[in-house]
Each structure stands twice: as C-alpha cells, then as structure tokens.
Amino acid sequence: MRSSGRNNDSGRGNHRGAGGGTSQPRAGGKRDDKQQRAGRPRPEERRYDVGGTGGPGGKDERGGAKSGGPKSGGPKSGGPKSGGSKSTGSRGAAARGGAKGGPRTGAKSGPGAKGGPKGGPQRGRGQAPARPREYDAQVEERNRARHNKPQIKTPKTFGDEDGERLQKVLARAGMGSRRACEELIDQARVEVNGQIVMEQGVRVDPEKDEIKVDGLTVATQSYLFFALNKPAGVVSTMEDPDGRQCLGDYVTNRETRLFHVGRLDTETEGIILLTNHGELAHRLTHPRYGVKKTYLAAIQGPLPRDLGKQLKDGIQLEDGYARADHFRVVENTGKNYLVEVTLHEGRKHIVRRMLSEAGFPVDKLVRTSFGPIALGDQKSGWLRRMTNTEVGMLMREVEL
C-alpha cells in the first residue's frame, strides 16, 4: 500500500512539475537563487512569443502549455519531464522551455493549443505581419500613378471665369481700396474698351483691355514710371563707359530694365522721365505728338521788349528754324533775369542755342515740366514714382 501511494505521489509530482505546479527540485535542501530569479517572467516574455520555432502549437504566454515544449514529453507521451531541474513550476522557465522545445513526438498538444497539429509558428501581438517587397513596390507604383495623372480641365461653367474682377485690377493699379474702386464703378467713372461699366463683378484682362477712370488710362500692366530731378553733371545715359555719373546710377536696384525718355544736357538740371513702357516713351519724344517742355533759364539783361516775339517767330539756327511756343519773364533783379521758355521741339541744346543766337547766353538752365508732369518741389537727385493720374495724363497726351 505504501509503495503504491509513493508511486501515486511521485506520479502526481511529476505531472505537477511538467504542467507548471509548485514542486521544486532540491539541491542540498535549499532553493537555488537562480531558479528563484528565473521564475519571474520578463516583460518581453509576457508580451511577445519567444517560442515559435520549436513547437507546432504556437505561443504560450503563461508557461508553454500551448507549445510543443514542456508537455510534449509529459506523462501522456511517455517521455521524460521537459522542465528538467532548472524550473519545473515557474512561468519564465516554462516559456524558455517552449522556446527550446524539441520536435513534436506525435502526441497532441496541450488543452490550450491554438495551432493544432498542423499549425506553424505564430507571431506575437506586438508584431505586424511582414509584407513581401513586391507588394510594397506595387503600392508605391499605384501611389505615383495616382499623383502623376494629367490635370483635368473642367468646363468654364464649373471653374473660374477668364480674367480678373475690375475692382481688383483697379485696386492693384493704385486707384484706391476695392471698396473705393467699387464706388468709382457705381458712379459710372470707369470704362473698359470705350464702354462705361455700370455693374460690379465685370471681369477684364489687364494685359489686353483698355481701362480708363475719368477718361484717363490706368496702367494696369507691370509698367514702371518714374520722374527724376537730374542734377547738373549727370550724363543722360543709363550706362557711361567713362565711369561718369549717369541716370542708371539712380535705378540700379530695379530688377526691371528702365530707359530714359529724351535727354538733358550734362549741365542742364530738371525733370527727366524713366520707364519700361516702350510705346509711351517713343510717342513722348516723337515730333508728331508735339509734347511740350518748359524750361527756366537764367540770363543777363537788359532784355528788349520784343525778345518773346523773336523767339515765337523763330530763330535761325544751323539746323533750321527753332520756334518757342511761349515766353515770359519770371523774375528780374537788376541785370539778372529768370525767363521761362516753352517749346515742343527736342533738338540738342535747343534752348541754349536759341537764347544765345538772340544775344543772351544762358548761365543756368532747368527743365521744370515734361508735358503734364511738373517738377514741383522735388529736390535735386530725388527719384519718385509717378501717380496713376500722371500716367493717365501722359497717355492721353500721346493718344494711348
């Protein structure tokens, strides 16, 4: 009876050792420290599968019951205990035992096995399934094909209309805020291609359409218009090969290439225009349009009363007659006279040669206006941008 009891106890102990029971092997009557540390499961062992290749059942987070390791050689298969003497009842040792488990003996796995006899190695919960490289390449090709499709042009009824709104174009041209430009339209002061605009939201093409406000053309294109008060000693060229100071020195920071309208003598001061509008510059200097220029000249007197009549009737010069459109005396201090001469011709040194031929050499000469653009109180050497009103007056002067 005792022997059978011992056998039962031994069998029960073996069964508990293989299944993760509490019986521990003894060495010298004391628990081994390494066995005690091995009984504590590590975080990665509780979260991920560390077995996988040894058993057919897949992973077992709590002791290897689902793998072909610890229980594969238990009492059901007739083999020895798989736990050995290291850790028969600890969870961590059972997990390692599952990882080191040998080939399957043919007996079915434990009661919690998911893989079954035909199951392969399973991945843990924290690992994403691997995808073949060919599949990734196909995904990348599909993404590129989707983004590289040609742009589909929708009909105009569904897309934006051609051109820009008139009030937006006027505001960008400097005529005021959009609200102020809308008021100009409401007041019937704006016309496009000769037609007065009476409604809001009209779309125009600033590169092609002619836009006027109060009869003056609005420069809506990317044109620049400047007025410079040229000092004496500055050459009327944009570049000077001799290194002298020229007009280009005042606009070197401009990205757009500008050119001067007409010329002034090196010793003559006054207003000169700079722009990138070729047609306007050409018409302003063409004799056909007869744009008037006004000069102030300092001469020595006394002056005869008929000097103005002589200049208006014409003075014979080397290259033909030169006639003044207007003449008047502005200031007289003793023998010093300041006279104003207006003419529409643009020949070289025309004012100096006319007064000198009449017997009155010029001491100082300043151009005070070019067409409707006046010099005003602009200081010598200062460059200013012309207003839209001034540009409109210039264009009307030459029928643009």
Side-chain angles (χ1 to χ4, degrees):
M1 296 296 291
R2 290 182 180 179
S3 60
S4 62
R6 282 194 299 269
N7 293 336
N8 293 337
D9 294 338
S10 176
R12 186 166 55 253
N14 293 341
H15 178 71
R16 294 172 62 187
T22 57
S23 63
Q24 301 288 339
R26 297 184 180 182
K30 296 182 179 180
R31 183 187 302 270
D32 191 3
D33 294 339
K34 293 183 179 180
Q35 294 178 8
Q36 184 176 3
R37 286 195 299 270
R40 301 174 183 174
R42 297 178 182 179
E44 59 269 19
E45 292 175 349
R46 287 188 282 112
R47 293 175 58 189
Y48 304 101
D49 180 21
V50 297
T53 59
K59 70 172 185 177
D60 182 9
E61 298 182 4
R62 300 189 57 83
K66 299 180 182 180
S67 63
K71 277 197 173 183
S72 61
K76 295 184 180 180
S77 61
K81 293 186 292 182
S82 63
S85 61
K86 288 186 178 180
S87 175
T88 58
S90 63
R91 297 179 182 177
R96 285 196 301 274
K100 296 180 181 179
R104 189 161 54 92
T105 58
K108 72 175 183 177
S109 301
K114 293 182 180 179
K118 297 182 181 180
Q122 302 292 330
R123 290 185 174 270
R125 297 179 182 177
Q127 296 180 353
R131 295 188 304 186
R133 295 182 179 179
E134 293 78 2
Y135 180 77
D136 292 338
Q138 293 176 2
V139 173
E140 183 67 19
E141 291 179 1
R142 287 197 297 267
N143 291 339
R144 290 181 180 179
R146 183 171 66 252
H147 291 288
N148 293 337
K149 287 183 179 180
Q151 186 177 3
I152 301 176
K153 294 184 178 180
T154 57
K156 293 183 179 180
T157 54
F158 298 99
D160 295 335
E161 299 180 11
D162 293 338
E164 299 181 72
R165 289 181 297 172
L166 180 58
Q167 58 266 33
K168 182 178 179 181
V169 175
L170 292 174
R172 188 174 65 246
M175 300 304 297
S177 63
R178 293 191 184 183
R179 179 57 183 166
C181 294
E182 291 175 357
E183 294 179 357
L184 292 176
I185 297 174
D186 293 336
Q187 297 169 3
R189 299 169 58 185
V190 182
E191 59 180 275
V192 178
N193 299 328
Q195 300 293 328
I196 297 178
V197 179
M198 299 296 298
E199 59 181 2
Q200 302 291 340
V202 175
R203 292 186 175 270
V204 296
D205 186 355
E207 298 293 335
K208 299 179 181 179
D209 296 330
E210 182 184 23
I211 304 173
K212 293 184 178 181
V213 176
D214 295 333
L216 301 178
T217 303
V218 178
T220 57
Q221 294 83 358
S222 57
Y223 292 129
L224 300 177
F225 305 91
F226 294 96
L228 171 67
N229 186 357
K230 186 187 86 66
V234 178
V235 184
S236 295
T237 57
M238 301 307 294
E239 296 180 0
D240 185 69
D242 298 332
R244 296 174 294 179
Q245 189 176 9
C246 59
L247 300 177
D249 298 334
Y250 294 89
V251 291
T252 53
N253 58 338
R254 303 292 175 183
E255 297 181 359
T256 305
R257 180 178 178 273
L258 300 174
F259 43 88
H260 53 90
V261 180
R263 292 177 178 269
L264 282 178
D265 304 337
T266 304
E267 298 303 322
T268 302
E269 306 176 24
I271 187 171
I272 188 168
L273 307 182
L274 302 171
T275 182
N276 60 346
H277 196 301
E279 182 62 23
L280 177 63
H282 171 70
R283 295 194 181 192
L284 287 174
T285 55
H286 199 280
R288 172 188 171 185
Y289 298 97
V291 179
K292 295 181 180 181
K293 280 82 68 175
T294 302
Y295 298 84
L296 282 178
I299 58 177
Q300 299 291 326
L303 301 181
R305 293 184 177 181
D306 62 342
L307 178 60
K309 185 178 183 302
Q310 296 179 25
L311 295 176
K312 293 179 182 179
D313 292 340
I315 301 293
Q316 179 66 38
L317 302 178
E318 298 176 357
D319 52 354
Y321 274 91
R323 296 179 176 85
D325 296 325
H326 180 72
F327 175 85
R328 71 184 181 97
V329 177
V330 178
E331 185 178 334
N332 177 23
T333 306
K335 294 183 178 181
N336 298 322
Y337 283 83
L338 187 64
V339 297
E340 182 183 82
V341 181
T342 302
L343 70 167
H344 61 272
E345 296 188 46
R347 283 183 279 176
K348 185 177 180 180
H349 303 287
I350 184 67
V351 178
R352 292 180 182 272
R353 288 193 294 162
M354 289 176 63
L355 292 176
S356 179
E357 188 68 23
F360 303 96
V362 177
D363 296 332
K364 184 178 180 180
L365 187 64
V366 178
R367 183 159 69 183
T368 58
S369 67
F370 191 107
I373 311 303
L375 182 63
D377 57 354
Q378 185 175 349
K379 296 182 180 179
S380 178
W382 282 35
L383 180 76
R384 69 175 180 87
R385 189 161 187 169
M386 297 169 57
T387 64
N388 283 281
T389 302
E390 292 175 325
V391 174
M393 290 189 298
L394 273 179
M395 290 186 174
R396 183 171 60 180
E397 190 80 12
V398 294
E399 302 176 3
L400 278 177

